[in-house]
Amino acid sequence: MIKLTVNGEFDGKTIKEYFQKQGYSTSQIKRFKYDGQILLNGQAVTVRHPLTAGDTLELTANVRLHSLEPSSETAALLYCDKYLYVAAKPCNVATHPDRTHRANTLGNMLASAFGKDFRLRIITRLDKVTSGLVLGALDEITAEKLNAMQLRREIDKTYVAETEGIVPLDCGEINLPLLRQDDKCLTVVSADGKAAQTKYEVIERRISSTIVRLYPLTGRTHQLRAHMAAIGYPIIGDKTYGAKSAERVKLHCERLTFKHPYEQKTVDVCLPCEF
């Protein structure tokens, strides 16, 4: 259970608008709608309900937890303890089963790794086309702690990508607001969007492409893909954002770093990728 208190900024706003401002992704809000429960001052409500300053929101995700069918492939675990894990997601594999991806997802691969009582609680979800590291929790309390850490930007993520064209600057920061267009499954730069920041550094310049390391300072949907396309260097293979077709979208989450929610240590997991 996650418990939040509404401040005056959101007086008259809807619960959905509040979730969005707090940094919850569209997929997380859908989980609250369809797989959980939203309580406002102890009463069940929908995301369209208006808020009043001082209201208490309680969120329970995954109230109806269903067993996942194990896949023939087992997820690679790069870190695991009794609370959480960091797993490797292959490219072009969906993270979570849904209406269009019911089997052969990372969730199914994790069920194969953990056994029949496993419940999927992904904290750092990746797009289907993106490969790399994902963080998951093994119980609901740990999931709440990790989700709160992510909202406070206490989980550092590093990506590597290959872009079309030669990025001229050795490093830089992209500060362009992003607006999610759910009907088109697209994120666009817009003055009406949410603040979004991405740092980048050039690793290697090739004949017609550039290897870059990307550091998302915010967590907007498709942020890295939209930002790189917006400055004229779309990620190779990302046709959604204007790149030419390729064997894959060359975007990979290579590192996750965060303080363990219970133990006095830093978890730092790296999974290099050669493009």
Side-chain angles (χ1 to χ4, degrees), residues 7-258:
N7 61 35
E9 177 186 356
F10 296 97
D11 199 10
K13 302 290 187 181
T14 66
I15 290 175
K16 182 177 182 180
E17 289 173 315
Y18 178 81
F19 286 164
Q20 291 172 333
K21 186 68 174 179
Q22 297 304 310
Y24 288 100
S25 67
T26 300
S27 60
Q28 286 174 316
I29 295 172
K30 287 179 179 177
R31 283 178 59 211
F32 295 142
K33 288 172 59 178
Y34 300 120
D35 297 326
Q37 188 176 38
I38 303 168
L39 298 179
L40 180 66
N41 303 323
Q43 300 296 315
V45 293
T46 71
V47 295
R48 297 185 298 275
H49 199 285
L51 294 167
T52 301
D55 280 346
T56 298
L57 273 175
E58 294 178 78
L59 317 176
T60 302
N62 293 330
V63 169
R64 299 185 299 276
L65 290 171
H66 304 286
S67 297
L68 292 171
E69 186 69 26
S71 70
S72 58
E73 295 184 62
T74 301
L77 301 176
L78 284 82
Y79 175 89
C80 185
D81 60 30
K82 64 181 180 180
Y83 303 109
L84 55 90
Y85 59 88
V86 177
K89 188 189 86 65
C91 178
N92 295 323
V93 170
T95 299
H96 196 290
D98 57 24
R99 286 185 289 271
T100 56
H101 306 96
R102 296 188 179 276
N104 300 318
T105 69
L106 179 63
N108 302 107
M109 296 167 66
L110 287 165
S112 178
F114 285 105
K116 64 178 182 179
D117 295 327
F118 173 73
R119 296 293 182 265
L120 186 62
R121 302 177 180 92
I122 295 293
I123 308 302
T124 59
R125 189 174 304 192
L126 295 178
D127 297 334
K128 180 182 177 182
V129 298
T130 306
S131 63
L133 299 172
V134 296
L135 171 63
L138 290 172
D139 62 80
E140 199 64 30
I141 294 175
T142 301
E144 292 169 9
K145 288 180 176 292
L146 291 174
N147 276 319
M149 288 170 59
Q150 180 159 238
L151 287 174
R152 295 193 300 266
R153 302 182 187 178
E154 294 173 356
I155 300 175
D156 293 328
K157 307 166 195 174
T158 304
Y159 292 75
V160 64
E162 185 174 4
T163 71
E164 292 185 351
I166 306 300
V167 178
L169 298 178
D170 289 341
C171 60
E173 183 170 325
I174 306 167
N175 286 279
L176 295 171
L178 296 175
L179 179 67
R180 178 66 176 166
Q181 297 180 335
D182 289 322
D183 57 333
K184 298 179 181 178
C185 295
L186 191 69
T187 296
V188 297
V189 173
S190 170
D192 297 325
K194 300 174 184 176
Q197 296 172 279
T198 301
K199 285 187 176 181
Y200 69 87
E201 62 179 351
V202 170
I203 305 303
E204 178 187 354
R205 293 182 177 92
R206 297 178 175 176
I207 295 174
S208 60
S209 66
T210 307
I211 304 295
V212 293
R213 189 160 282 125
L214 303 172
Y215 306 91
L217 304 184
T218 51
R220 309 305 178 200
T221 302
H222 292 188
Q223 175 175 316
L224 303 180
R225 299 164 62 185
H227 267 173
M228 293 310 295
I231 65 170
Y233 304 97
I235 295 170
I236 286 178
D238 195 359
K239 295 189 294 181
T240 301
Y241 290 93
K244 297 177 183 177
S245 180
E247 71 275 12
R248 63 157 292 180
V249 174
K250 293 194 174 183
L251 178 63
H252 174 82
C253 181
E254 70 170 0
R255 194 174 211 114
L256 288 176
T257 306
F258 57 93

